[in-house]
Amino acid sequence: MNTPLEIPSRRPFDMDTVRRDFPILARPLPNGAALAYLDNGATAQKPQAVIDKVREVYETCNANVHRGIHQLGDRVTVELEAAREKVRRFINAEDSAEIIFTSGTTMSINLVAQAWGRKFLKPGDEILLNEMEHHANLVPWQQTAKATGAKLRYLPLTTDGQLDATHFDRLITSRTKLVAVTGMSNVLGTTNPIRELAARAHQVGAVILVDGAQSVPHLPTDVRDPQIDFLAFSGHKLFGPTGIGVLYGRRQFLEAMDPFLCGGNMINEVHLESSTWGELPSKFEAGTIPIAEAIGLGAAIDYVQSLGFDAIHTQETKLLARAMRLLPQTPGVTIYGPSLERRGSIVSFTVEKVHPHDLADLLDQKGVAIRAGHHCTMPLHDWLDVPATARASFAFYNTEAEVDALIEAIHYARHKFRLE
Ligand code: 7TS
């Protein structure tokens, strides 16, 4: 195993090597087509290093953690805490006790909505959201608003799908207690002005929660610059295992919150009528957490850091630029969202007279995997005034040839619909 705190050394970005790191990319699909995996916004593929790490845990040190009873338990605990330290370093948190392992972004946000929101929000307080948020960053706040009497407010969007900064003054006020915002829209790709929102939230004494599900895998994140109070993200979109995610919370907030789930591991003392809570991070990690998955997430972070966000950004921008140039030149195609400079590597679009689900089916025949539907953003689709969109979302292992395969497959779909 790696020595726990080894910092991965940077290696040159070589596409052939990178693609070989992801065994699934070379496997023909059941219909024999070559895979062009353009659904990274839903989940990313896993490099061999992550697959090996999870397997290694089960083969060599599987045991429960933090029991301190035997050698295997000790060893796996060291590995788990090393993974937590990797997460800490990756997002530049001050203390690894501020890194809570959860099952993913959804659970992380629910944890804050319940354990922070229900304790600290009261009637008249405002939660500031916007229409581009994923349901995971809307519905928990709706429930918390109902339970506490707090009010939901929505920042309007500009016509190209950015937060409209001309409304910040009007909507971020002394009544605002929380700004909950995505780092990157999972549909429009919009990257949001977190620095400005964090500064404004803090000016009025509000807390900012960033949904990093889409941004953390593609952009460098530093929770201390700008200062972010809560950050949620998922391991599986970060080239790590499913079932593991992270909630980062600033210590002062996590300390003030009561536990979200109760059971083993999160207590200090239990009596028949009452209990006291354990220290961070255990207080928020009731029960047995996904241990091998958390350690696998550590391996995924090592992998991403060995490539570096500069190389990742360069490759993804190349792909996005090509898609945003070629898609609008394709007959019947409309793309949604801001210009290249204001978005990450996601592009959603519709093809006139072809339902996105039919389009996704036809693209799949050609091996091009995209997502179709409302992408868990029904309010955004109401705002866009379309019931569904098709979405291509890129990762650094995608190639320009795969963008071309997408375009070719759209022509194929239009041909099938007798549109060309
Ligand atoms: N927030 C955003 C911005 C997301 O894109 C997603 C998942 C979530 C939260 C929830 O993440 P989870 O890991 O807890 O499920 N988005 C998508 C998607 O766009 N397609 O499939 C899942």
Side-chain angles (χ1 to χ4, degrees):
M1 293 209 172
N2 288 342
T3 46
L5 300 183
E6 200 175 287
I7 296 181
S9 52
R10 197 58 59 80
R11 59 192 179 125
F13 188 91
D14 172 65
M15 187 51 106
D16 290 342
T17 315
V18 165
R19 283 185 71 84
R20 272 199 302 275
D21 288 338
F22 291 80
I24 206 168
L25 298 179
R27 283 177 80 87
L29 290 164
N31 73 352
L35 170 66
Y37 186 75
L38 306 181
D39 196 15
N40 296 284
T43 198
Q45 299 302 345
K46 321 304 176 199
Q48 191 67 51
V50 168
I51 300 167
D52 287 349
K53 191 71 185 180
V54 173
R55 186 187 169 118
E56 187 184 305
V57 171
Y58 287 123
E59 283 183 353
T60 67
C61 63
N62 178 54
N64 215 326
V65 288
H66 298 304
R67 268 66 177 172
I69 315 240
H70 47 64
Q71 293 172 60
L72 285 187
D74 290 347
R75 179 155 162 218
V76 80
T77 301
V78 167
E79 285 286 332
L80 177 76
E81 292 310 316
R84 196 188 305 277
E85 172 60 16
K86 287 174 190 183
V87 175
R88 183 206 66 74
R89 203 176 54 206
F90 184 57
I91 61 172
N92 196 31
E94 192 170 334
D95 185 342
S96 63
E98 298 172 314
I99 306 299
I100 314 293
F101 284 125
T102 66
S103 64
T105 306
T106 301
M107 180 177 161
S108 297
I109 297 174
N110 274 274
L111 195 166
V112 180
Q114 301 255 352
W116 180 84
R118 292 193 186 205
K119 184 164 179 183
F120 293 108
L121 294 174
K122 42 184 203 317
D125 287 347
E126 293 181 0
I127 301 170
L128 187 61
L129 303 168
N130 68 82
E131 284 157 289
M132 77 172 79
E133 296 301 320
H134 188 280
H135 296 168
N137 201 24
L138 289 179
V139 184
W141 299 116
Q142 291 172 352
Q143 294 300 91
T144 291
K146 262 188 215 152
T148 61
K151 235 201 210 149
L152 304 179
R153 305 297 301 269
Y154 284 86
L155 268 173
L157 306 183
T158 58
T159 49
D160 66 346
Q162 301 187 61
L163 297 179
D164 188 341
T166 62
H167 293 272
F168 287 178
D169 279 342
R170 180 173 68 79
L171 287 167
I172 304 177
T173 71
S174 58
R175 286 186 301 279
T176 312
K177 292 294 175 285
L178 174 77
V179 176
V181 61
T182 189
M184 186 194 298
S185 160
N186 67 320
V187 175
L188 304 172
T190 313
T191 47
N192 284 321
I194 300 303
R195 182 173 297 280
E196 177 166 10
L197 288 169
R200 283 178 176 263
H202 292 144
Q203 257 164 26
V204 298
V207 164
I208 183 164
L209 174 142
V210 175
D211 174 350
Q214 298 294 341
S215 58
V216 166
H218 301 279
L219 302 169
T221 304
D222 181 339
V223 293
R224 284 187 284 174
D225 181 25
Q227 192 172 69
I228 293 170
D229 301 310
F230 292 108
L231 172 74
F233 61 97
S234 300
H236 69 99
K237 295 184 204 285
L238 181 56
F239 314 97
T242 51
I244 187 73
V246 170
L247 171 67
Y248 159 80
R250 271 172 68 200
R251 182 184 271 278
Q252 68 188 83
F253 295 108
L254 295 176
E255 296 276 14
M257 288 153 58
D258 293 326
F260 168 53
L261 295 174
C262 298
N265 210 36
M266 45 66 70
I267 46 78
N268 182 19
E269 280 181 28
V270 176
H271 307 283
L272 290 182
E273 305 294 338
S274 65
S275 303
T276 56
W277 313 136
E279 296 291 315
L280 294 174
S282 308
K283 179 172 138 187
F284 293 106
E285 292 182 353
T288 298
I289 66 162
I291 299 165
E293 289 78 1
I295 296 169
L297 173 59
I301 288 174
D302 280 347
Y303 185 88
V304 166
Q305 289 191 318
S306 76
L307 296 177
F309 276 113
D310 286 348
I312 289 172
H313 183 71
T314 302
Q315 177 61 15
E316 290 183 353
T317 304
K318 212 189 289 175
L319 301 166
L320 186 64
R322 191 170 186 87
M324 289 186 64
R325 181 165 59 79
L326 295 180
L327 279 167
Q329 292 171 12
T330 311
V333 171
T334 304
I335 67 173
Y336 302 95
S339 61
L340 189 61
E341 312 75 58
R342 307 307 304 266
R343 69 160 85 202
S345 57
I346 289 177
V347 54
S348 292
F349 57 96
T350 49
V351 180
E352 202 183 0
K353 299 198 171 83
V354 186
H355 191 280
H357 281 127
D358 292 328
L359 181 73
D361 268 351
L362 289 164
L363 264 54
D364 181 54
Q365 289 177 13
K366 295 292 184 187
V368 178
I370 61 157
R371 185 167 172 195
H374 55 65
H375 318 293
C376 298
T377 56
M378 283 186 177
L380 178 63
H381 281 76
D382 288 343
W383 180 83
L384 289 170
D385 202 21
V386 290
T389 51
R391 179 188 69 183
S393 48
F394 304 106
F396 53 78
Y397 46 61
N398 289 126
T399 62
E400 288 176 279
E402 289 176 325
V403 176
D404 296 349
L406 166 70
I407 303 295
E408 241 173 74
I410 295 171
H411 282 293
Y412 168 75
R414 281 177 40 86
H415 175 74
K416 283 282 182 190
F417 271 75
R418 302 188 195 292
L419 297 168
E420 58 185 68

